Amino acid sequence: DAKTTQPTSMDCAEGRAANLPCNHSTISGNEYVYWYRQIHSQGPQYIIHGLKNNETNEMASLIITEDRKSSTLILPHATLRDTAVYYCIVRVAYNAGNMLTFGGGTRLMVKP
Amino acid sequence: AAGVIQSPRHLIKEKRETATLKCYPIPRHDTVYWYQQGPGQDPQFLISFYEKMQSDKGSIPDRFSAQQFSDYHSELNMSSLELGDSALYFCASSLVRRERYGYTFGSGTRLTVV
């Protein structure tokens, strides 16, 4: 799986948009970009994933650059409950046994 | 909606004892994954099963074993427990052909070895 690079930590004011960047310059053509988050001591939670088009769901938006070497997760209106570690993971999808590898996430602190 | 159920939520064992953790995946999910998360660390992949067959193996110690049963629930067996095995253990499940919904993780089992 391609290696990703994320900032170690970020702060965001409550109610503002949180933009979390991720670099994945060695991504392969068949690898997807996934975002998960882990709120303290809870199980990781799936947020969103995409291949090359921008994606949006009820939780967040995912913007992938045209060359697919980087992406940004956007939480449009951050709340205190969004404080968590956010993981950007690149992997091949639809492949049994191709596990998620967590590492080097961004610790997002949403402040009042 | 049904979630991934793990039991027990908390477990305290002494060194050299044995522990068994259980995981009940979301109905009709075909893949189960086990992760270990030590204090202040990222979740580390241990082992996975696809359709009841072991499909991938990570940094799982030889003292640990796992299996998936005919009803798709999975058990992680840990023997000769060491203090360093104290961690959160998460189970996750997914349906390979519908991965747009990602993995669903359980709430975890907190194992403390004393």
Side-chain angles (χ1 to χ4, degrees), chain B residues 17-19 21 34-36 44-47 49 54 57 59-67 75-82 84-89 111 113:
Chain B
E17 284 193 318
T18 297
L21 310 185
W34 285 96
Y35 283 81
Q36 177 192 56
Q44 297 295 316
F45 170 72
L46 292 177
I47 195 167
F49 294 87
Q54 181 185 308
K57 210 168 181 179
S59 50
I60 184 169
D62 292 341
R63 299 177 290 107
F64 293 8
S65 65
Q67 57 182 324
E75 295 184 2
L76 178 66
N77 298 294
M78 311 159 68
S79 63
S80 302
L81 287 170
E82 303 174 355
D85 296 328
S86 295
L88 271 169
Y89 290 83
L111 172 67
V113 182

PDB file of all heavy atoms in Angstrom, chain B residues 17-19 21 34-36 44-47 49 54 57 59-67 75-82 84-89 111 113:
ATOM      1  N   GLU B  17      -1.788 -16.486  32.127  1.00  0.00           N
ATOM      2  CA  GLU B  17      -3.139 -17.010  31.942  1.00  0.00           C
ATOM      3  C   GLU B  17      -3.542 -16.963  30.464  1.00  0.00           C
ATOM      4  O   GLU B  17      -2.791 -16.500  29.611  1.00  0.00           O
ATOM      5  CB  GLU B  17      -4.146 -16.213  32.777  1.00  0.00           C
ATOM      6  CG  GLU B  17      -4.120 -16.551  34.253  1.00  0.00           C
ATOM      7  CD  GLU B  17      -5.321 -15.985  34.992  1.00  0.00           C
ATOM      8  OE1 GLU B  17      -5.691 -14.829  34.722  1.00  0.00           O
ATOM      9  OE2 GLU B  17      -5.876 -16.706  35.861  1.00  0.00           O
ATOM     10  N   THR B  18      -4.744 -17.474  30.197  1.00  0.00           N
ATOM     11  CA  THR B  18      -5.284 -17.516  28.849  1.00  0.00           C
ATOM     12  C   THR B  18      -6.518 -16.625  28.776  1.00  0.00           C
ATOM     13  O   THR B  18      -7.270 -16.515  29.757  1.00  0.00           O
ATOM     14  CB  THR B  18      -5.667 -18.961  28.479  1.00  0.00           C
ATOM     15  OG1 THR B  18      -4.492 -19.759  28.480  1.00  0.00           O
ATOM     16  CG2 THR B  18      -6.298 -19.016  27.089  1.00  0.00           C
ATOM     17  N   ALA B  19      -6.711 -15.989  27.631  1.00  0.00           N
ATOM     18  CA  ALA B  19      -7.896 -15.145  27.426  1.00  0.00           C
ATOM     19  C   ALA B  19      -8.523 -15.467  26.072  1.00  0.00           C
ATOM     20  O   ALA B  19      -7.821 -15.809  25.116  1.00  0.00           O
ATOM     21  CB  ALA B  19      -7.520 -13.670  27.485  1.00  0.00           C
ATOM     22  N   LEU B  21     -11.260 -13.687  23.407  1.00  0.00           N
ATOM     23  CA  LEU B  21     -12.080 -12.543  23.033  1.00  0.00           C
ATOM     24  C   LEU B  21     -13.011 -12.975  21.898  1.00  0.00           C
ATOM     25  O   LEU B  21     -12.596 -13.706  20.999  1.00  0.00           O
ATOM     26  CB  LEU B  21     -11.203 -11.380  22.563  1.00  0.00           C
ATOM     27  CG  LEU B  21     -10.038 -10.969  23.474  1.00  0.00           C
ATOM     28  CD1 LEU B  21      -9.360  -9.727  22.919  1.00  0.00           C
ATOM     29  CD2 LEU B  21     -10.485 -10.763  24.890  1.00  0.00           C
ATOM     30  N   TRP B  34      -9.006  -8.485  13.089  1.00  0.00           N
ATOM     31  CA  TRP B  34      -8.648  -8.227  14.482  1.00  0.00           C
ATOM     32  C   TRP B  34      -7.484  -7.235  14.523  1.00  0.00           C
ATOM     33  O   TRP B  34      -6.510  -7.378  13.780  1.00  0.00           O
ATOM     34  CB  TRP B  34      -8.230  -9.504  15.196  1.00  0.00           C
ATOM     35  CG  TRP B  34      -9.363 -10.413  15.559  1.00  0.00           C
ATOM     36  CD1 TRP B  34      -9.817 -11.482  14.845  1.00  0.00           C
ATOM     37  CD2 TRP B  34     -10.181 -10.331  16.729  1.00  0.00           C
ATOM     38  NE1 TRP B  34     -10.871 -12.078  15.505  1.00  0.00           N
ATOM     39  CE2 TRP B  34     -11.109 -11.387  16.660  1.00  0.00           C
ATOM     40  CE3 TRP B  34     -10.211  -9.473  17.837  1.00  0.00           C
ATOM     41  CZ2 TRP B  34     -12.066 -11.615  17.657  1.00  0.00           C
ATOM     42  CZ3 TRP B  34     -11.151  -9.699  18.826  1.00  0.00           C
ATOM     43  CH2 TRP B  34     -12.068 -10.758  18.734  1.00  0.00           C
ATOM     44  N   TYR B  35      -7.603  -6.259  15.426  1.00  0.00           N
ATOM     45  CA  TYR B  35      -6.567  -5.258  15.631  1.00  0.00           C
ATOM     46  C   TYR B  35      -6.230  -5.154  17.115  1.00  0.00           C
ATOM     47  O   TYR B  35      -7.094  -5.333  17.972  1.00  0.00           O
ATOM     48  CB  TYR B  35      -7.039  -3.870  15.145  1.00  0.00           C
ATOM     49  CG  TYR B  35      -7.018  -3.687  13.650  1.00  0.00           C
ATOM     50  CD1 TYR B  35      -8.057  -4.176  12.859  1.00  0.00           C
ATOM     51  CD2 TYR B  35      -5.975  -3.021  13.023  1.00  0.00           C
ATOM     52  CE1 TYR B  35      -8.035  -4.014  11.485  1.00  0.00           C
ATOM     53  CE2 TYR B  35      -5.943  -2.849  11.641  1.00  0.00           C
ATOM     54  CZ  TYR B  35      -6.983  -3.354  10.887  1.00  0.00           C
ATOM     55  OH  TYR B  35      -6.966  -3.184   9.524  1.00  0.00           O
ATOM     56  N   GLN B  36      -4.977  -4.815  17.385  1.00  0.00           N
ATOM     57  CA  GLN B  36      -4.510  -4.566  18.744  1.00  0.00           C
ATOM     58  C   GLN B  36      -4.031  -3.125  18.841  1.00  0.00           C
ATOM     59  O   GLN B  36      -3.327  -2.643  17.949  1.00  0.00           O
ATOM     60  CB  GLN B  36      -3.344  -5.507  19.060  1.00  0.00           C
ATOM     61  CG  GLN B  36      -2.711  -5.313  20.429  1.00  0.00           C
ATOM     62  CD  GLN B  36      -1.395  -6.074  20.548  1.00  0.00           C
ATOM     63  OE1 GLN B  36      -0.483  -5.906  19.762  1.00  0.00           O
ATOM     64  NE2 GLN B  36      -1.310  -6.957  21.545  1.00  0.00           N
ATOM     65  N   GLN B  44      -2.942  -1.859  15.383  1.00  0.00           N
ATOM     66  CA  GLN B  44      -2.064  -2.737  14.598  1.00  0.00           C
ATOM     67  C   GLN B  44      -2.853  -3.969  14.166  1.00  0.00           C
ATOM     68  O   GLN B  44      -3.486  -4.641  14.982  1.00  0.00           O
ATOM     69  CB  GLN B  44      -0.864  -3.164  15.437  1.00  0.00           C
ATOM     70  CG  GLN B  44       0.038  -2.009  15.853  1.00  0.00           C
ATOM     71  CD  GLN B  44       0.718  -1.341  14.684  1.00  0.00           C
ATOM     72  OE1 GLN B  44       1.234  -1.996  13.775  1.00  0.00           O
ATOM     73  NE2 GLN B  44       0.683  -0.017  14.670  1.00  0.00           N
ATOM     74  N   PHE B  45      -2.764  -4.287  12.894  1.00  0.00           N
ATOM     75  CA  PHE B  45      -3.497  -5.426  12.347  1.00  0.00           C
ATOM     76  C   PHE B  45      -2.904  -6.742  12.856  1.00  0.00           C
ATOM     77  O   PHE B  45      -1.685  -6.931  12.854  1.00  0.00           O
ATOM     78  CB  PHE B  45      -3.436  -5.379  10.821  1.00  0.00           C
ATOM     79  CG  PHE B  45      -3.950  -6.608  10.143  1.00  0.00           C
ATOM     80  CD1 PHE B  45      -5.312  -6.882  10.119  1.00  0.00           C
ATOM     81  CD2 PHE B  45      -3.094  -7.501   9.543  1.00  0.00           C
ATOM     82  CE1 PHE B  45      -5.798  -8.013   9.496  1.00  0.00           C
ATOM     83  CE2 PHE B  45      -3.555  -8.639   8.917  1.00  0.00           C
ATOM     84  CZ  PHE B  45      -4.918  -8.899   8.899  1.00  0.00           C
ATOM     85  N   LEU B  46      -3.787  -7.637  13.267  1.00  0.00           N
ATOM     86  CA  LEU B  46      -3.339  -8.946  13.745  1.00  0.00           C
ATOM     87  C   LEU B  46      -3.622 -10.044  12.721  1.00  0.00           C
ATOM     88  O   LEU B  46      -2.726 -10.764  12.294  1.00  0.00           O
ATOM     89  CB  LEU B  46      -4.037  -9.300  15.065  1.00  0.00           C
ATOM     90  CG  LEU B  46      -3.662  -8.470  16.290  1.00  0.00           C
ATOM     91  CD1 LEU B  46      -4.491  -8.903  17.491  1.00  0.00           C
ATOM     92  CD2 LEU B  46      -2.187  -8.562  16.591  1.00  0.00           C
ATOM     93  N   ILE B  47      -4.897 -10.188  12.344  1.00  0.00           N
ATOM     94  CA  ILE B  47      -5.293 -11.305  11.492  1.00  0.00           C
ATOM     95  C   ILE B  47      -6.658 -11.023  10.906  1.00  0.00           C
ATOM     96  O   ILE B  47      -7.428 -10.245  11.465  1.00  0.00           O
ATOM     97  CB  ILE B  47      -5.286 -12.623  12.312  1.00  0.00           C
ATOM     98  CG1 ILE B  47      -5.319 -13.853  11.406  1.00  0.00           C
ATOM     99  CG2 ILE B  47      -6.424 -12.622  13.321  1.00  0.00           C
ATOM    100  CD1 ILE B  47      -4.996 -15.147  12.153  1.00  0.00           C
ATOM    101  N   PHE B  49     -10.086 -12.875   8.425  1.00  0.00           N
ATOM    102  CA  PHE B  49     -10.749 -14.057   7.879  1.00  0.00           C
ATOM    103  C   PHE B  49     -11.737 -13.610   6.812  1.00  0.00           C
ATOM    104  O   PHE B  49     -12.489 -12.658   7.011  1.00  0.00           O
ATOM    105  CB  PHE B  49     -11.501 -14.812   8.981  1.00  0.00           C
ATOM    106  CG  PHE B  49     -10.603 -15.413  10.009  1.00  0.00           C
ATOM    107  CD1 PHE B  49     -10.202 -14.672  11.103  1.00  0.00           C
ATOM    108  CD2 PHE B  49     -10.131 -16.707   9.876  1.00  0.00           C
ATOM    109  CE1 PHE B  49      -9.352 -15.208  12.061  1.00  0.00           C
ATOM    110  CE2 PHE B  49      -9.285 -17.254  10.824  1.00  0.00           C
ATOM    111  CZ  PHE B  49      -8.891 -16.506  11.922  1.00  0.00           C
ATOM    112  N   GLN B  54      -8.743 -18.105   6.998  1.00  0.00           N
ATOM    113  CA  GLN B  54      -7.769 -17.055   7.277  1.00  0.00           C
ATOM    114  C   GLN B  54      -7.280 -16.443   5.970  1.00  0.00           C
ATOM    115  O   GLN B  54      -6.910 -17.162   5.040  1.00  0.00           O
ATOM    116  CB  GLN B  54      -6.576 -17.624   8.051  1.00  0.00           C
ATOM    117  CG  GLN B  54      -5.530 -16.579   8.412  1.00  0.00           C
ATOM    118  CD  GLN B  54      -4.318 -17.189   9.076  1.00  0.00           C
ATOM    119  OE1 GLN B  54      -4.451 -17.935  10.038  1.00  0.00           O
ATOM    120  NE2 GLN B  54      -3.145 -16.869   8.575  1.00  0.00           N
ATOM    121  N   LYS B  57      -2.401 -12.191   7.609  1.00  0.00           N
ATOM    122  CA  LYS B  57      -1.818 -12.259   8.950  1.00  0.00           C
ATOM    123  C   LYS B  57      -0.863 -11.092   9.125  1.00  0.00           C
ATOM    124  O   LYS B  57      -0.052 -10.809   8.241  1.00  0.00           O
ATOM    125  CB  LYS B  57      -1.073 -13.570   9.116  1.00  0.00           C
ATOM    126  CG  LYS B  57      -1.019 -14.119  10.514  1.00  0.00           C
ATOM    127  CD  LYS B  57      -0.509 -15.564  10.496  1.00  0.00           C
ATOM    128  CE  LYS B  57      -0.465 -16.139  11.881  1.00  0.00           C
ATOM    129  NZ  LYS B  57      -0.004 -17.537  11.905  1.00  0.00           N
ATOM    130  N   SER B  59       1.076  -8.738  12.555  1.00  0.00           N
ATOM    131  CA  SER B  59       2.043  -8.947  13.626  1.00  0.00           C
ATOM    132  C   SER B  59       1.418  -9.676  14.812  1.00  0.00           C
ATOM    133  O   SER B  59       1.426  -9.185  15.938  1.00  0.00           O
ATOM    134  CB  SER B  59       2.614  -7.598  14.068  1.00  0.00           C
ATOM    135  OG  SER B  59       1.561  -6.687  14.316  1.00  0.00           O
ATOM    136  N   ILE B  60       0.876 -10.832  14.555  1.00  0.00           N
ATOM    137  CA  ILE B  60       0.231 -11.606  15.614  1.00  0.00           C
ATOM    138  C   ILE B  60       1.239 -12.563  16.235  1.00  0.00           C
ATOM    139  O   ILE B  60       1.897 -13.334  15.539  1.00  0.00           O
ATOM    140  CB  ILE B  60      -1.009 -12.365  15.065  1.00  0.00           C
ATOM    141  CG1 ILE B  60      -1.746 -13.095  16.191  1.00  0.00           C
ATOM    142  CG2 ILE B  60      -0.640 -13.285  13.921  1.00  0.00           C
ATOM    143  CD1 ILE B  60      -3.104 -13.645  15.778  1.00  0.00           C
ATOM    144  N   PRO B  61       1.401 -12.496  17.566  1.00  0.00           N
ATOM    145  CA  PRO B  61       2.357 -13.399  18.230  1.00  0.00           C
ATOM    146  C   PRO B  61       1.925 -14.852  18.075  1.00  0.00           C
ATOM    147  O   PRO B  61       0.745 -15.152  17.922  1.00  0.00           O
ATOM    148  CB  PRO B  61       2.282 -12.959  19.708  1.00  0.00           C
ATOM    149  CG  PRO B  61       1.645 -11.620  19.707  1.00  0.00           C
ATOM    150  CD  PRO B  61       0.753 -11.577  18.519  1.00  0.00           C
ATOM    151  N   ASP B  62       2.892 -15.749  18.147  1.00  0.00           N
ATOM    152  CA  ASP B  62       2.592 -17.185  18.051  1.00  0.00           C
ATOM    153  C   ASP B  62       1.710 -17.652  19.205  1.00  0.00           C
ATOM    154  O   ASP B  62       1.035 -18.683  19.098  1.00  0.00           O
ATOM    155  CB  ASP B  62       3.895 -17.992  18.049  1.00  0.00           C
ATOM    156  CG  ASP B  62       4.690 -17.763  16.775  1.00  0.00           C
ATOM    157  OD1 ASP B  62       4.091 -17.305  15.775  1.00  0.00           O
ATOM    158  OD2 ASP B  62       5.908 -18.017  16.782  1.00  0.00           O
ATOM    159  N   ARG B  63       1.715 -16.916  20.300  1.00  0.00           N
ATOM    160  CA  ARG B  63       0.886 -17.276  21.463  1.00  0.00           C
ATOM    161  C   ARG B  63      -0.592 -16.998  21.204  1.00  0.00           C
ATOM    162  O   ARG B  63      -1.449 -17.417  21.989  1.00  0.00           O
ATOM    163  CB  ARG B  63       1.335 -16.464  22.686  1.00  0.00           C
ATOM    164  CG  ARG B  63       2.766 -16.693  23.109  1.00  0.00           C
ATOM    165  CD  ARG B  63       3.152 -15.801  24.274  1.00  0.00           C
ATOM    166  NE  ARG B  63       3.254 -14.402  23.896  1.00  0.00           N
ATOM    167  CZ  ARG B  63       2.384 -13.468  24.223  1.00  0.00           C
ATOM    168  NH1 ARG B  63       1.319 -13.772  24.956  1.00  0.00           N
ATOM    169  NH2 ARG B  63       2.568 -12.209  23.853  1.00  0.00           N
ATOM    170  N   PHE B  64      -0.877 -16.264  20.150  1.00  0.00           N
ATOM    171  CA  PHE B  64      -2.257 -15.912  19.819  1.00  0.00           C
ATOM    172  C   PHE B  64      -2.731 -16.791  18.652  1.00  0.00           C
ATOM    173  O   PHE B  64      -1.963 -17.111  17.741  1.00  0.00           O
ATOM    174  CB  PHE B  64      -2.374 -14.457  19.376  1.00  0.00           C
ATOM    175  CG  PHE B  64      -2.094 -13.427  20.439  1.00  0.00           C
ATOM    176  CD1 PHE B  64      -1.601 -13.771  21.680  1.00  0.00           C
ATOM    177  CD2 PHE B  64      -2.332 -12.080  20.178  1.00  0.00           C
ATOM    178  CE1 PHE B  64      -1.348 -12.806  22.657  1.00  0.00           C
ATOM    179  CE2 PHE B  64      -2.080 -11.107  21.138  1.00  0.00           C
ATOM    180  CZ  PHE B  64      -1.578 -11.481  22.366  1.00  0.00           C
ATOM    181  N   SER B  65      -3.988 -17.134  18.681  1.00  0.00           N
ATOM    182  CA  SER B  65      -4.595 -17.814  17.547  1.00  0.00           C
ATOM    183  C   SER B  65      -6.012 -17.299  17.389  1.00  0.00           C
ATOM    184  O   SER B  65      -6.578 -16.729  18.329  1.00  0.00           O
ATOM    185  CB  SER B  65      -4.599 -19.335  17.741  1.00  0.00           C
ATOM    186  OG  SER B  65      -5.420 -19.682  18.842  1.00  0.00           O
ATOM    187  N   ALA B  66      -6.560 -17.481  16.231  1.00  0.00           N
ATOM    188  CA  ALA B  66      -7.923 -17.014  15.992  1.00  0.00           C
ATOM    189  C   ALA B  66      -8.603 -17.934  15.006  1.00  0.00           C
ATOM    190  O   ALA B  66      -7.955 -18.660  14.249  1.00  0.00           O
ATOM    191  CB  ALA B  66      -7.920 -15.577  15.466  1.00  0.00           C
ATOM    192  N   GLN B  67      -9.911 -17.904  15.043  1.00  0.00           N
ATOM    193  CA  GLN B  67     -10.674 -18.654  14.062  1.00  0.00           C
ATOM    194  C   GLN B  67     -12.023 -17.995  13.869  1.00  0.00           C
ATOM    195  O   GLN B  67     -12.483 -17.214  14.705  1.00  0.00           O
ATOM    196  CB  GLN B  67     -10.840 -20.115  14.495  1.00  0.00           C
ATOM    197  CG  GLN B  67     -11.495 -20.322  15.846  1.00  0.00           C
ATOM    198  CD  GLN B  67     -11.564 -21.811  16.213  1.00  0.00           C
ATOM    199  OE1 GLN B  67     -11.773 -22.668  15.365  1.00  0.00           O
ATOM    200  NE2 GLN B  67     -11.392 -22.112  17.487  1.00  0.00           N
ATOM    201  N   GLU B  75     -13.226 -15.720  17.224  1.00  0.00           N
ATOM    202  CA  GLU B  75     -12.636 -15.693  18.552  1.00  0.00           C
ATOM    203  C   GLU B  75     -11.120 -15.541  18.436  1.00  0.00           C
ATOM    204  O   GLU B  75     -10.495 -16.169  17.567  1.00  0.00           O
ATOM    205  CB  GLU B  75     -12.987 -16.960  19.334  1.00  0.00           C
ATOM    206  CG  GLU B  75     -14.465 -17.082  19.631  1.00  0.00           C
ATOM    207  CD  GLU B  75     -14.820 -18.290  20.481  1.00  0.00           C
ATOM    208  OE1 GLU B  75     -13.897 -19.044  20.882  1.00  0.00           O
ATOM    209  OE2 GLU B  75     -16.025 -18.477  20.749  1.00  0.00           O
ATOM    210  N   LEU B  76     -10.584 -14.716  19.304  1.00  0.00           N
ATOM    211  CA  LEU B  76      -9.132 -14.517  19.400  1.00  0.00           C
ATOM    212  C   LEU B  76      -8.689 -15.151  20.709  1.00  0.00           C
ATOM    213  O   LEU B  76      -9.143 -14.727  21.781  1.00  0.00           O
ATOM    214  CB  LEU B  76      -8.793 -13.028  19.363  1.00  0.00           C
ATOM    215  CG  LEU B  76      -7.311 -12.644  19.500  1.00  0.00           C
ATOM    216  CD1 LEU B  76      -6.524 -13.147  18.296  1.00  0.00           C
ATOM    217  CD2 LEU B  76      -7.156 -11.136  19.639  1.00  0.00           C
ATOM    218  N   ASN B  77      -7.870 -16.159  20.616  1.00  0.00           N
ATOM    219  CA  ASN B  77      -7.375 -16.869  21.786  1.00  0.00           C
ATOM    220  C   ASN B  77      -5.939 -16.446  22.077  1.00  0.00           C
ATOM    221  O   ASN B  77      -5.094 -16.450  21.180  1.00  0.00           O
ATOM    222  CB  ASN B  77      -7.431 -18.379  21.548  1.00  0.00           C
ATOM    223  CG  ASN B  77      -8.847 -18.854  21.324  1.00  0.00           C
ATOM    224  OD1 ASN B  77      -9.683 -18.795  22.216  1.00  0.00           O
ATOM    225  ND2 ASN B  77      -9.142 -19.305  20.118  1.00  0.00           N
ATOM    226  N   MET B  78      -5.707 -16.092  23.327  1.00  0.00           N
ATOM    227  CA  MET B  78      -4.408 -15.565  23.727  1.00  0.00           C
ATOM    228  C   MET B  78      -3.907 -16.374  24.904  1.00  0.00           C
ATOM    229  O   MET B  78      -4.582 -16.450  25.935  1.00  0.00           O
ATOM    230  CB  MET B  78      -4.547 -14.087  24.094  1.00  0.00           C
ATOM    231  CG  MET B  78      -5.306 -13.294  23.032  1.00  0.00           C
ATOM    232  SD  MET B  78      -6.016 -11.771  23.620  1.00  0.00           S
ATOM    233  CE  MET B  78      -4.546 -10.843  23.920  1.00  0.00           C
ATOM    234  N   SER B  79      -2.754 -16.993  24.758  1.00  0.00           N
ATOM    235  CA  SER B  79      -2.220 -17.834  25.830  1.00  0.00           C
ATOM    236  C   SER B  79      -0.917 -17.240  26.366  1.00  0.00           C
ATOM    237  O   SER B  79      -0.325 -16.352  25.760  1.00  0.00           O
ATOM    238  CB  SER B  79      -1.988 -19.246  25.312  1.00  0.00           C
ATOM    239  OG  SER B  79      -1.008 -19.243  24.289  1.00  0.00           O
ATOM    240  N   SER B  80      -0.519 -17.752  27.524  1.00  0.00           N
ATOM    241  CA  SER B  80       0.716 -17.293  28.177  1.00  0.00           C
ATOM    242  C   SER B  80       0.804 -15.772  28.181  1.00  0.00           C
ATOM    243  O   SER B  80       1.793 -15.176  27.733  1.00  0.00           O
ATOM    244  CB  SER B  80       1.947 -17.882  27.469  1.00  0.00           C
ATOM    245  OG  SER B  80       1.900 -19.281  27.458  1.00  0.00           O
ATOM    246  N   LEU B  81      -0.233 -15.158  28.680  1.00  0.00           N
ATOM    247  CA  LEU B  81      -0.342 -13.699  28.625  1.00  0.00           C
ATOM    248  C   LEU B  81       0.851 -13.015  29.287  1.00  0.00           C
ATOM    249  O   LEU B  81       1.368 -13.466  30.313  1.00  0.00           O
ATOM    250  CB  LEU B  81      -1.635 -13.247  29.285  1.00  0.00           C
ATOM    251  CG  LEU B  81      -2.901 -13.526  28.476  1.00  0.00           C
ATOM    252  CD1 LEU B  81      -4.146 -13.274  29.312  1.00  0.00           C
ATOM    253  CD2 LEU B  81      -2.930 -12.680  27.210  1.00  0.00           C
ATOM    254  N   GLU B  82       1.261 -11.917  28.671  1.00  0.00           N
ATOM    255  CA  GLU B  82       2.352 -11.095  29.164  1.00  0.00           C
ATOM    256  C   GLU B  82       1.817  -9.705  29.469  1.00  0.00           C
ATOM    257  O   GLU B  82       0.779  -9.299  28.946  1.00  0.00           O
ATOM    258  CB  GLU B  82       3.462 -11.019  28.116  1.00  0.00           C
ATOM    259  CG  GLU B  82       4.017 -12.361  27.699  1.00  0.00           C
ATOM    260  CD  GLU B  82       4.999 -12.260  26.552  1.00  0.00           C
ATOM    261  OE1 GLU B  82       5.182 -11.136  26.016  1.00  0.00           O
ATOM    262  OE2 GLU B  82       5.590 -13.303  26.177  1.00  0.00           O
ATOM    263  N   GLY B  84       2.807  -6.988  28.399  1.00  0.00           N
ATOM    264  CA  GLY B  84       2.754  -6.212  27.154  1.00  0.00           C
ATOM    265  C   GLY B  84       1.545  -6.497  26.288  1.00  0.00           C
ATOM    266  O   GLY B  84       1.320  -5.801  25.300  1.00  0.00           O
ATOM    267  N   ASP B  85       0.768  -7.513  26.643  1.00  0.00           N
ATOM    268  CA  ASP B  85      -0.447  -7.807  25.885  1.00  0.00           C
ATOM    269  C   ASP B  85      -1.601  -6.908  26.315  1.00  0.00           C
ATOM    270  O   ASP B  85      -2.675  -6.925  25.693  1.00  0.00           O
ATOM    271  CB  ASP B  85      -0.856  -9.266  26.077  1.00  0.00           C
ATOM    272  CG  ASP B  85       0.179 -10.233  25.524  1.00  0.00           C
ATOM    273  OD1 ASP B  85       0.847  -9.876  24.527  1.00  0.00           O
ATOM    274  OD2 ASP B  85       0.323 -11.333  26.093  1.00  0.00           O
ATOM    275  N   SER B  86      -1.390  -6.140  27.370  1.00  0.00           N
ATOM    276  CA  SER B  86      -2.423  -5.203  27.825  1.00  0.00           C
ATOM    277  C   SER B  86      -2.678  -4.182  26.725  1.00  0.00           C
ATOM    278  O   SER B  86      -1.762  -3.462  26.308  1.00  0.00           O
ATOM    279  CB  SER B  86      -1.985  -4.485  29.108  1.00  0.00           C
ATOM    280  OG  SER B  86      -1.853  -5.395  30.169  1.00  0.00           O
ATOM    281  N   ALA B  87      -3.897  -4.135  26.267  1.00  0.00           N
ATOM    282  CA  ALA B  87      -4.219  -3.283  25.116  1.00  0.00           C
ATOM    283  C   ALA B  87      -5.719  -3.317  24.863  1.00  0.00           C
ATOM    284  O   ALA B  87      -6.449  -4.080  25.489  1.00  0.00           O
ATOM    285  CB  ALA B  87      -3.488  -3.775  23.858  1.00  0.00           C
ATOM    286  N   LEU B  88      -6.138  -2.465  23.935  1.00  0.00           N
ATOM    287  CA  LEU B  88      -7.489  -2.540  23.393  1.00  0.00           C
ATOM    288  C   LEU B  88      -7.445  -3.469  22.183  1.00  0.00           C
ATOM    289  O   LEU B  88      -6.550  -3.350  21.335  1.00  0.00           O
ATOM    290  CB  LEU B  88      -7.959  -1.161  22.935  1.00  0.00           C
ATOM    291  CG  LEU B  88      -8.669  -0.265  23.928  1.00  0.00           C
ATOM    292  CD1 LEU B  88      -8.802   1.142  23.367  1.00  0.00           C
ATOM    293  CD2 LEU B  88     -10.027  -0.825  24.293  1.00  0.00           C
ATOM    294  N   TYR B  89      -8.391  -4.360  22.089  1.00  0.00           N
ATOM    295  CA  TYR B  89      -8.476  -5.269  20.955  1.00  0.00           C
ATOM    296  C   TYR B  89      -9.787  -4.978  20.225  1.00  0.00           C
ATOM    297  O   TYR B  89     -10.870  -5.073  20.790  1.00  0.00           O
ATOM    298  CB  TYR B  89      -8.413  -6.722  21.414  1.00  0.00           C
ATOM    299  CG  TYR B  89      -7.044  -7.084  21.918  1.00  0.00           C
ATOM    300  CD1 TYR B  89      -6.671  -6.793  23.234  1.00  0.00           C
ATOM    301  CD2 TYR B  89      -6.087  -7.670  21.081  1.00  0.00           C
ATOM    302  CE1 TYR B  89      -5.394  -7.086  23.698  1.00  0.00           C
ATOM    303  CE2 TYR B  89      -4.821  -7.967  21.535  1.00  0.00           C
ATOM    304  CZ  TYR B  89      -4.480  -7.665  22.846  1.00  0.00           C
ATOM    305  OH  TYR B  89      -3.218  -7.945  23.298  1.00  0.00           O
ATOM    306  N   LEU B 111      -8.154  -5.357  27.463  1.00  0.00           N
ATOM    307  CA  LEU B 111      -7.494  -6.428  28.216  1.00  0.00           C
ATOM    308  C   LEU B 111      -6.402  -5.828  29.083  1.00  0.00           C
ATOM    309  O   LEU B 111      -5.539  -5.098  28.593  1.00  0.00           O
ATOM    310  CB  LEU B 111      -6.881  -7.454  27.259  1.00  0.00           C
ATOM    311  CG  LEU B 111      -6.002  -8.529  27.906  1.00  0.00           C
ATOM    312  CD1 LEU B 111      -6.848  -9.447  28.786  1.00  0.00           C
ATOM    313  CD2 LEU B 111      -5.265  -9.339  26.842  1.00  0.00           C
ATOM    314  N   VAL B 113      -3.473  -7.099  31.714  1.00  0.00           N
ATOM    315  CA  VAL B 113      -2.724  -8.228  32.263  1.00  0.00           C
ATOM    316  C   VAL B 113      -1.925  -7.730  33.463  1.00  0.00           C
ATOM    317  O   VAL B 113      -1.172  -6.759  33.356  1.00  0.00           O
ATOM    318  CB  VAL B 113      -1.777  -8.833  31.208  1.00  0.00           C
ATOM    319  CG1 VAL B 113      -1.033 -10.030  31.786  1.00  0.00           C
ATOM    320  CG2 VAL B 113      -2.565  -9.258  29.974  1.00  0.00           C
TER     321      VAL B 113
END
